[in-house]
């Protein structure tokens, strides 16, 4: 079986449907059959690569699925070992992030840095409700300490406003955010991009990356408004299922960030 046969487009960004969307449409994607018995970690070209029955695994673009740190490779190998009779990419977020890092970030590093850093210009932590009082309080309790950390440790002092009218942030703050983002290697950038897009905040993502916030705390901070509305109007089952799936992605990206420190 060729590399193309067992990878195909399954691990390419955007190639597989959102699992919730698939469920809504009654779609049942055909998953590739598991073709190996055991995944392991081997040394290859000075790196730690994932091997399937001794054969080094490759990314969709035929890059070596390898990491600088053995712990990261072991985390990816565990996903391969955790597959059943078929290979389900939805259950392999670490592998998918690694593929993005190897196939995408390495060749477009600056573009990825710019994409992540631009969130600083409109980070949702800076846009506050002016009522009701309880929501105002919850936002301040969850978000003010993170912004204070960013000002002290990143040198990024962001302005906070009430409402959704756009507020221009200072060039100094935006430059500090971009500098903090740029310190990461390709795996860190791919993971940071995932956390940033999942939470909507580059500040929360950087706080997780630097170990200031646990992933659970950042996730809770990202959902202050949503949780408040759920308390008022009740839970939406579909939204909860989507949120659970997104949390798995968040957890995997955060784990890679921690392993990369």
């Amino acid at each position: 079986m060729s590399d193309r046969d067992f990878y195909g487009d399954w691990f390419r960004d955007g190639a597989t449907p959102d699992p919730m969307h698939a469920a809504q449409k009654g779609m049942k994607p055909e998953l590739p059959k598991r073709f190996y018995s055991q995944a392991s970690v081997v040394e290859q070209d000075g790196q730690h690569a994932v091997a399937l029955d001794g054969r080094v695994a490759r990314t969709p673009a035929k890059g070596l699925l390898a990491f600088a740190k053995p712990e990261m490779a072991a985390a990816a190998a565990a996903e391969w070992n955790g597959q059943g009779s078929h290979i389900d990419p939805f259950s392999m977020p670490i592998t998918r992030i690694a593929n993005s890092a190897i196939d995408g970030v390495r060749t477009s590093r600056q573009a990825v840095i710019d994409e992540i850093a631009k969130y600083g210009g409109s980070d949702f932590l800076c846009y506050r409700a002016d009522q009701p009082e309880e929501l105002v309080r919850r936002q301040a309790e969850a978000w003010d300490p993170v912004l204070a950390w960013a000002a002290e440790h990143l040198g990024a002092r962001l302005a906070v406003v009430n409402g959704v009218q756009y507020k221009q942030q200072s060039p100094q703050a935006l430059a500090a955010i971009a500098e903090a983002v740029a310190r990461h290697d390709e795996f860190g950038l791919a993971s940071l991009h995932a956390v940033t897009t999942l939470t909507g905040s580059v500040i929360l993502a950087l706080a997780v990356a630097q170990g200031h916030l646990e992933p659970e705390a950042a996730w809770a901070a990202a959902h202050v408004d949503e949780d408040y509305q759920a308390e008022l109007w009740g839970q939406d089952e579909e939204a909860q299922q989507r949120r659970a799936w997104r949390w798995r992605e968040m957890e995997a990206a955060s784990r890679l960030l921690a392993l990369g420190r």
Side-chain angles (χ1 to χ4, degrees), residues 120-136:
S122 56
D123 199 291
F124 84 88
L125 299 184
C126 299
Y127 294 87
R128 307 296 179 86
D130 52 15
Q131 61 177 329
E133 183 178 337
E134 176 62 16
L135 179 57
V136 172

Side-chain angles (χ1 to χ4, degrees), residues 2-117:
S2 69
D3 286 345
R4 180 69 180 180
D5 289 335
F6 62 76
Y7 278 114
D9 286 324
W10 278 95
F11 287 96
R12 294 187 189 279
D13 289 343
T16 52
D18 181 300
M20 289 303 302
H21 177 75
Q24 292 168 357
K25 299 298 183 181
M27 298 167 61
K28 190 173 183 180
E30 294 183 8
L31 301 177
K33 291 183 178 180
R34 178 167 176 163
F35 56 90
Y36 58 93
S37 298
Q38 183 72 25
S40 59
V41 177
V42 299
E43 289 192 23
Q44 179 86 11
D45 299 337
Q47 300 184 83
H48 303 277
V50 175
L52 307 176
D53 290 341
R55 180 185 180 190
V56 176
R58 295 192 175 273
T59 68
K62 306 301 184 285
L64 192 68
L65 183 57
F67 307 77
K69 294 189 175 182
E71 296 85 358
M72 298 172 78
E79 290 185 336
W80 288 90
N81 280 326
Q83 299 303 297
S85 61
H86 289 74
I87 303 172
D88 183 0
F90 295 141
S91 67
M92 305 174 73
I94 288 177
T95 298
R96 286 189 282 105
I97 293 171
N99 287 338
S100 294
I102 295 165
D103 290 348
V105 179
R106 281 182 181 171
T107 58
S108 306
R109 177 179 172 82
Q110 189 57 53
V112 176
I113 292 171
D114 294 342
E115 175 70 19
I116 299 170

Side-chain angles (χ1 to χ4, degrees), residues 177-197:
I177 291 171
E179 181 181 349
V181 171
R183 296 189 190 115
H184 294 81
D185 65 10
E186 64 266 31
F187 293 101
L189 287 172
S191 302
L192 196 65
H193 185 274
V195 176
T196 299
T197 56

